[in-house]
Each structure stands twice: as C-alpha cells, then as structure tokens.
Amino acid sequence: MKILLWHVHGSWTNAFVRGGHEYLIAAPPKGIGLAGRDWPAAREVDVAGAEADVAVIQRPEEIGWVPSGIPVVYLEHNTPKHPNQVHPLKDWPGTIVQVTHFNDLMWDCGDTRTAVIEHGVVDPGHRYTGDLARAAVVVNEPVRRGRVVGTDLLPRFAEVAPLDVYGMGTEELGDMGRGDHDLDSLHRELARRRAYVHPVRWTSLGLSLIEAMHLGMPVVALACTEVVRAVPPDAGVVSTDVDELVRGLRELVADPALAVQRGKQAREFALAHYGLDAFLRAWDRLLTGVSG
C-alpha cells in the first residue's frame, strides 16, 4: 500500500519505512521530507496532491493537511504531562496508536479507539565491547529539559563512573557533553562504554535505551514510565532508589564480566520484545484494517 506520513521522529521512521510498502514522506513546506535519510522505499511528495491508501499523522495540525478521502491513523509518541491531560483527538472517530502501554494508560482519549504498537528497532548488531570504564547517556537538550530527563542526577552517577552524554545540546553540560552524532557513530561510541544509564523521570520510552540494549549494553535505569516493562532485572539495575542505581553502576564498571553477562541478557530481551519484524507485522495488521 501507499502510506503518507511526516518525518517527525527519525528513529521511529527509520524502523517504520522498512516494511513492504511505498512510503510517501511529506515534503516542504508541510514537512521536512527525507532530510538526508537513505530510505529506499520512501520518496518525498507534495501533500496536497498525494494519493495514498492511508495516512499516519503524528501532530494535530497534520489532520487538516491530509487530502480528502484518505483514511487517517494518529500516532502518539509522547507521554501526557499529567494523568488528567485530554488528548487533542479525544472522541475522534479514528484510531490513536500509542507506542507504549504506559502512554495508553495515562492519556485521556475518551471514546477514541486506541491501540498499542510497541517500538521496533533496526538491529545494529551486537557491538558491545565495554572496553572503556565509563557510562553513556543519550538525551536531547538536557539543560533545557532538566529534571524531566534527570539532568540533576548526572552528578550522582558521575561520582562512580565518568559520564559521556550524547545528544542535541549536550555541549551545554561542559566536560561530560559529547554533542549530537549520526546513528552509526553513536552506536559505535556507546558500545565502547561499560554501561548505559537512563536517568529519565518522565518520557514515553527513549529509543536510544532500546538501541543500547540491542548493542549488548547493560542498563542502569530509573523505574519510571515504561522502563519496568522494557528492561528486565537481569539486564542491569532498574529502581527508583538512586542510591541503588549508583551502586549498580559502580558494580558494573568494576566488573567487566558481569557487565558482559548483563548486556547479553539485555540484547536477548530487546530482540525478543522490540524486534523489527513484530513491529512491522503489527503495523501491517492495523493499517490493513483501517484502509479496508
């Protein structure tokens, strides 16, 4: 089928366009087009003249840009700011797809039909070496976002292991900031660090966390939002007790063999629960039903 969509979340789209369809990416001015991405099954289109079997939208304004007659599915990436927040498409006669069960639980969507299709990740392969006794964090704009992404917790972890923080705006953190990287170089750098730290208090579910698990990295993560489903206990340390997390990171950094073992469990779980094939099959079932 022909699927019209906007390039909003690069990592999610990178997985979605691996299915067996033709992907029509909204070109400027209504979208950003491919933005330099090499997606063989995707091409840029002028939204106004697009001919598609179904549209996947990700922002409320996009619903008014879809040409008449094309069925629409709304993909919600984000966690609501609070449990009483009403979704912009509450009581809409369509389908909202949530990327986590936590999001589906927390958003007030009223009578709108909802479905959960969990993330799928293009497997980067087992690349973990952990040869550097350091910890990696991936977060965008940590200074602006502050406590939401756990920026205040970074010094606690840095007491037991040097931190390398990757992502947009991380240069503002000073010595630990490593800036933004393309996906391949990011994975290469992450895989050399002994452990992956996920200090985020409130997010949908960072794809970088799932990618780190695919790489074979052990995880130290706050037990918030969807993390308790996404990271099994034998993949590292998951807790709301920061002291426990700090102790866990110290142990992983000091014991490379333990880190390798925990990382192996993380990769096995990620492949089983966040693999690309299951993700694409779930989307095929949903879009086939919507497009008729």
Side-chain angles (χ1 to χ4, degrees):
M1 67 180 73
K2 292 183 178 181
I3 304 172
L4 174 65
L5 73 152
W6 278 255
H7 179 184
V8 174
H9 190 301
S11 294
W12 181 89
T13 310
N14 184 49
F16 185 71
V17 299
R18 306 289 172 140
H21 306 290
E22 185 177 353
Y23 302 91
L24 311 179
I25 310 294
K30 296 297 187 184
I32 64 170
L34 295 173
R37 296 296 189 109
D38 181 19
W39 292 328
R43 61 184 175 90
E44 296 183 5
V45 298
D46 177 3
V47 173
E51 296 182 1
D53 299 299
V54 65
V56 177
I57 65 172
Q58 300 162 73
R59 296 169 297 181
E61 60 266 29
E62 292 170 9
I63 197 168
W65 298 340
V66 177
S68 177
I70 299 177
V72 176
V73 170
Y74 189 96
L75 172 63
E76 179 56 71
H77 289 285
N78 299 316
T79 302
K81 291 181 172 60
H82 53 78
N84 289 325
Q85 186 171 354
V86 174
H87 196 276
L89 295 187
K90 180 181 180 180
D91 300 328
W92 175 57
T95 299
I96 296 173
V97 177
Q98 304 280 5
V99 296
T100 70
H101 290 278
F102 183 86
N103 288 5
D104 193 39
L105 172 69
M106 300 303 285
W107 272 110
D108 177 5
C109 294
D111 293 330
T112 302
R113 178 195 173 214
T114 65
V116 178
I117 300 181
E118 296 182 278
H119 287 302
V121 170
V122 178
D123 181 17
H126 187 281
R127 302 172 66 174
Y128 179 71
T129 63
D131 56 291
L132 298 179
R134 306 175 68 89
V137 180
V138 178
V139 61
N140 289 325
E141 300 184 84
V143 173
R144 180 184 67 82
R145 297 168 73 192
R147 286 176 56 85
V148 170
V149 295
T151 306
D152 60 304
L153 301 177
L154 297 179
R156 297 281 302 279
F157 293 109
E159 291 175 3
V160 297
L163 294 187
D164 295 311
V165 187
Y166 300 88
M168 294 182 291
T170 53
E171 299 90 343
E172 297 180 46
L173 292 174
D175 290 343
M176 68 177 66
R178 297 292 176 263
D180 199 18
H181 287 57
D182 66 80
L183 199 58
D184 185 65
S185 64
L186 175 64
H187 289 164
R188 184 171 60 250
E189 293 301 317
L190 292 181
R192 296 193 63 198
R193 273 68 190 170
R194 188 70 47 82
Y196 184 85
V197 174
H198 184 72
V200 183
R201 286 184 173 90
W202 192 256
T203 188
S204 178
L205 180 62
L207 275 174
S208 55
L209 168 63
I210 304 302
E211 290 168 356
M213 293 171 65
H214 272 79
L215 291 169
M217 298 186 73
V219 171
V220 174
L222 283 178
C224 298
T225 63
E226 193 76 359
V227 168
V228 292
R229 275 181 52 86
V231 183
D234 56 2
V237 186
V238 177
S239 178
T240 54
D241 182 341
V242 178
D243 288 337
E244 182 180 355
L245 295 177
V246 170
R247 289 194 299 270
L249 178 59
R250 179 189 289 113
E251 184 178 8
L252 288 169
V253 170
D255 190 342
L258 176 65
V260 168
Q261 178 187 345
R262 296 285 189 260
K264 180 176 181 291
Q265 297 300 320
R267 175 168 167 79
E268 289 180 359
F269 188 90
L271 287 171
H273 293 83
Y274 297 99
L276 189 62
D277 289 345
F279 169 78
L280 294 174
R281 285 197 303 270
W283 272 102
D284 280 350
R285 288 193 296 270
L286 185 133
L287 293 178
T288 298
V290 170
S291 64

